[in-house]
Amino acid sequence: DDDDDDDDTPKRQTRKCVTKNVSYKEDDDFETDSDDLIEVTGEPALEESDDSETIEKVVDSRIWKKGVVGAPTTVYAVEAGGNPGADFDPEKDEKEVHYLIKWKGWSYIHNTWESEESLRQQKVKGLKKLENFMKKEEEVNQWLAKASPEDVEYYNCQQEMAFDLNKQYQIVERVIAMKTSKSSTSHSEFPSHSSHKTSSSGQPDYLCKWMGLPYVDCSWEDGALISRKFQACIDAFHNRHNSKTIPSKDCKVIVIREGPETETSVCCHEEAALLHWQ
């Protein structure tokens, strides 16, 4: 009977937890080819300097005379030498689509009109932004074909506001610093292109704050270029810098502030006088 009871009682079985060894070795079929290995020994390869420009933003587009692209289409070049495509005849001359490019590290005053061909020839970076702009323009044209007159008018108003803002970004609001070739070439967080060229005029570079843009978008500009239209801003900067009443960065009041002469609180004395630093 005892044997029968033992048979009826469920028996607890202990199971051992078996840890499976995992191998992280690659299979023989997927061995790394010798051509895929990077050579560590020997002299490191010299990196080629890439001076190609980068597209930051595509601002606008137009149909214009073919080949009229690049530096001659900047605002200051057109003002100095005239519009290179002023004699453009859409019915007779060969034409193509041009895009107004805002370049990375350059202010809006250096925007240029470029064609897709000229951008690819220059091997610029950021061509994906141009492709996105072209796709967006195609979608907008399809929408305008079906939109109501009210929507079309609203869209045109938005385009005019954007055009006015882009023109505003090309106006110097304030000159906040100056540097010459003899000054220390310390690192600056603002873009500067004086290293790419030598100014024949000998004028210093000015750090310009642009109208409608935050101070983070300030840029160093050639003095000869800024003095053409914004000499008043340069004069105002020198007046502030040389003023004996307006505090400047060299003023001792800003740099050095003397502390209290005594550790005793002034509030503890009923007839205490204000200290010189208060």
Side-chain angles (χ1 to χ4, degrees):
D1 295 339
D2 294 337
D3 295 339
D4 294 340
D5 294 336
D6 293 340
D7 293 340
D8 295 338
T9 304
K11 296 180 179 179
R12 180 180 299 174
Q13 297 180 354
T14 58
R15 296 181 181 179
K16 293 182 179 181
C17 182
V18 180
T19 305
K20 185 179 180 181
N21 295 328
V22 181
S23 176
Y24 294 95
K25 294 182 179 180
E26 295 181 352
D27 297 336
D28 295 336
D29 296 337
F30 299 95
E31 289 183 353
T32 306
D33 190 18
S34 59
D35 295 334
D36 298 333
L37 296 176
I38 300 175
E39 252 185 273
V40 180
T41 59
E43 296 181 358
L46 297 176
E47 295 183 359
E48 298 182 359
S49 58
D50 190 2
D51 296 333
S52 57
E53 299 291 347
T54 303
I55 298 175
E56 180 180 328
K57 181 181 178 181
V58 182
V59 180
D60 198 2
S61 66
R62 69 180 181 183
I63 298 177
W64 205 244
K65 188 176 182 179
K66 186 175 182 179
V68 183
V69 294
T73 61
T74 57
V75 175
Y76 49 87
V78 171
E79 292 176 352
N83 192 343
D87 58 344
F88 172 57
D89 188 352
E91 297 180 358
K92 297 180 181 179
D93 296 334
E94 193 174 0
K95 55 190 176 181
E96 61 182 353
V97 181
H98 290 175
Y99 302 94
L100 185 59
I101 304 298
K102 163 69 172 70
W103 299 102
K104 186 177 181 179
W106 296 81
S107 59
Y108 277 81
I109 201 172
H110 299 288
N111 290 0
T112 59
W113 289 96
E114 304 286 347
S115 64
E116 184 178 0
E117 181 182 358
S118 67
L119 291 173
R120 296 190 182 278
Q121 287 177 355
Q122 297 175 58
K123 297 180 180 180
V124 301
K125 301 175 184 177
L127 285 175
K128 186 66 177 178
K129 294 183 180 179
L130 176 63
E131 296 175 2
N132 293 338
F133 180 84
M134 295 168 66
K135 291 179 181 178
K136 185 177 179 181
E137 266 202 333
E138 186 178 352
E139 294 175 357
V140 169
N141 292 333
Q142 293 177 358
W143 174 79
L144 288 174
K146 302 177 181 178
S148 63
E150 292 79 9
D151 291 337
V152 173
E153 184 179 359
Y154 176 78
Y155 172 79
N156 292 334
C157 291
Q158 293 294 321
Q159 293 297 104
E160 290 179 6
M161 290 176 60
F163 178 77
D164 292 339
L165 281 176
N166 290 324
K167 289 184 65 178
Q168 181 178 315
Y169 298 157
Q170 300 171 357
I171 300 174
V172 176
E173 181 180 356
R174 184 185 180 95
V175 173
I176 58 179
M178 177 187 71
K179 69 176 180 179
T180 60
S181 57
K182 296 182 181 180
S183 60
S184 59
T185 57
S186 58
H187 175 72
S188 175
E189 59 181 333
F190 301 108
S192 175
H193 308 284
S194 56
S195 58
H196 298 284
K197 59 181 179 59
T198 303
S199 177
S200 58
S201 63
Q203 296 192 25
D205 291 346
Y206 294 101
L207 183 59
C208 300
K209 196 274 181 190
W210 301 96
M211 186 174 293
L213 293 175
Y215 276 88
V216 72
D217 291 326
C218 292
S219 62
W220 289 99
E221 302 293 340
D222 181 61
L225 176 62
I226 299 303
S227 61
R228 293 181 190 176
K229 292 182 62 178
F230 309 108
Q231 184 62 42
C233 295
I234 297 176
D235 296 339
F237 165 75
H238 288 297
N239 292 336
R240 292 193 308 270
H241 188 73
N242 299 327
S243 176
K244 296 181 180 180
T245 57
I246 303 176
S248 64
K249 63 179 181 180
D250 300 326
C251 184
K252 292 184 178 180
V253 176
I254 299 177
V255 178
I256 302 173
R257 181 180 177 181
E258 297 181 0
E261 293 182 351
T262 176
E263 296 181 356
T264 306
S265 176
V266 180
C267 299
C268 296
H269 306 282
E270 296 180 357
E271 299 179 355
L274 292 177
L275 300 177
H276 71 279
W277 55 270
Q278 290 180 311

